[in-house]
Amino acid sequence: MADTSPLACAELVVLVTDYLEGAMTPSERARFDAHLDECPLCVVYVDQFRRTLDAIGTLREEDVPAPARRVLLSAFRDWKGSRGDAPPDDGAPSTRA
Amino acid sequence: MTGLPPATERVEAAQPPRAAPTPDERRLVQALRAGDEAAFVAMVERYNGALLRLALSFVPSRAVAEEVVQETWLAVITGIDRFEGRSTLRTWLFRILVNRAKTRGERERRTVPFSSLATGEAGDDEPLVDADRFAPADSPWAGHWTTGPRPWAHAPEGRLLSKETTSVVTGAIEALPPAQRAVVSLRDIAGWSSEEVCESLGISEVNQRVLLHRGRTRVRNALETHFDGEG
């Protein structure tokens, strides 16, 4: 059953990901938004949560260290060399035995 | 929506979950089968970081994680001819990684399977924000902030993170329990959709969202501690 009582801050903190993920019903979302309309501290909290996501999103993928890359390239060449026939060029799985 | 992943990942994350390779992926598969080394190197450069981060959620050390990732790439090489396109190439790649990392993780450290970890971490009732910061149940302002969040003076703004802030975020993610770390890494760093994460980790949507929430909240808490310390 939908909760129509006003949202408290402690509850908002639990629900913020549901909100940002779009996983709320319209009435749940309205209840959340109504609280933000009157609670500047929760506005700060949600804003900090969003900034946290932005910060996480800037983490760079790490470079492949050179020795590991050499090993992989060598393995790829070995595999290339060990395949007899040319592969099918339509991207379909190989039909060789 | 905020918290968007980098642009190249964002387009894929915004699309509905695919059951088949994208046109780009089909070209890549063709190129790999034709022995195109540049394509292989590009693929490794593109995904290696995400694979490593994810492996670190399962295994105890970076050295072991690197081994698992290396094994994954070798499996890709030998398996690419047999890839049938029943999932996206990326999902296939990460499934190989997840299976290897889980097996290795269980062997190296844990006897608990990942799905149980995920359930445990998601069911954990520990409050993520200190209960002291809210008015108690018998107060007229029950549940409202008493010690609210303070605005961050040097808040992270988009891509202009200082080295220090980056290290706080990285440290916080590394300190997350494994299932939370895996979900946050895949969703917020690698930009996967929730459907892709659930499929690869074998967890429910609700479970995934709880883990995501707990992980993100901990990272936010770490940033708060850091910025509050700056005064």
Side-chain angles (χ1 to χ4, degrees):
Chain A
M1 183 155 56
D3 188 344
T4 53
S5 63
L7 196 66
C9 311
E11 199 183 346
L12 177 137
V13 161
V14 170
L15 293 174
V16 66
T17 296
D18 291 354
Y19 179 76
L20 295 176
E21 290 282 285
M24 287 182 159
T25 65
S27 67
E28 287 169 344
R29 187 170 194 91
R31 189 169 165 255
F32 194 98
D33 283 332
H35 180 79
L36 288 180
D37 282 344
E38 59 182 30
C39 185
L41 289 174
C42 281
V43 170
V44 170
Y45 186 84
V46 174
D47 181 60
Q48 287 175 351
F49 209 85
R50 282 195 171 111
R51 289 178 180 198
T52 300
L53 300 195
D54 288 344
I56 296 172
T58 68
L59 294 188
R60 291 290 101 213
E61 303 299 18
E62 297 159 47
D63 292 333
V64 185
R69 197 190 303 147
R70 272 200 294 276
V71 169
L72 289 177
L73 207 42
S74 162
F76 188 72
R77 286 171 182 155
D78 287 346
W79 167 79
K80 232 166 75 167
S82 72
R83 292 157 90 242
D85 316 333
D89 57 4
D90 60 351
S94 170
T95 53
R96 61 193 164 87
Chain B
M1 194 178 92
T2 54
L4 291 174
T8 50
E9 297 288 342
R10 191 183 305 149
V11 171
E12 291 169 28
Q15 290 168 355
R18 295 181 170 277
T22 63
D24 272 350
E25 285 185 335
R26 283 200 295 274
R27 278 191 284 276
L28 176 58
V29 171
Q30 258 177 273
L32 293 173
R33 287 179 177 154
D36 183 341
E37 288 179 12
F40 177 64
V41 168
M43 186 184 183
V44 171
E45 296 286 341
R46 183 167 187 208
Y47 290 115
N48 200 75
L51 290 172
L52 191 58
R53 279 190 197 284
L54 185 54
L56 286 165
S57 309
F58 293 89
V59 300
S61 77
R62 191 190 171 93
V64 174
E66 286 175 351
E67 282 175 29
V68 168
V69 171
Q70 197 77 340
E71 285 167 26
T72 299
W73 285 122
L74 295 174
V76 166
I77 292 170
T78 56
I80 193 66
D81 276 343
R82 293 189 303 276
F83 171 65
E84 291 174 16
R86 287 209 209 110
S87 67
T88 64
L89 183 65
R90 184 171 68 176
T91 298
W92 179 72
L93 167 65
F94 279 81
R95 246 192 224 135
I96 296 173
L97 183 283
V98 166
N99 286 336
R100 284 175 185 273
K102 275 189 202 179
T103 306
R104 192 72 186 268
E106 284 163 15
R107 200 163 74 218
E108 299 264 338
R109 174 176 60 181
R110 293 187 288 268
T111 55
V112 179
F114 185 86
S115 57
S116 302
L117 277 179
T119 307
E121 289 176 32
D124 178 2
D125 281 339
E126 176 211 318
L128 293 170
V129 177
D130 204 337
D132 287 351
R133 294 182 61 175
F134 302 100
D138 56 353
S139 122
W141 293 107
H144 287 256
W145 290 104
T146 51
T147 313
R150 288 171 23 181
W152 293 339
H154 308 290
E157 293 284 359
R159 298 187 186 286
L160 303 176
L161 294 202
S162 67
K163 255 190 172 175
E164 219 182 319
T165 304
T166 300
S167 114
V168 169
V169 175
T170 306
I173 291 175
E174 283 170 7
L176 291 177
Q180 292 175 31
R181 180 178 183 173
V183 174
V184 170
S185 293
L186 287 175
R187 288 295 314 275
D188 294 339
I189 302 176
W192 288 23
S193 72
S194 64
E195 291 84 357
E196 287 168 334
V197 171
C198 293
E199 189 194 19
S200 295
L201 299 181
I203 59 179
S204 72
E205 169 64 39
V206 170
N207 206 329
Q208 182 262 164
R209 195 162 57 246
V210 172
L211 292 168
L212 183 64
H213 177 68
R214 299 189 72 86
R216 286 171 167 181
T217 302
R218 286 183 190 225
V219 177
R220 187 237 148 237
N221 290 350
L223 282 170
E224 178 181 65
T225 302
H226 172 67
F227 289 122
D228 279 357
E230 289 184 351

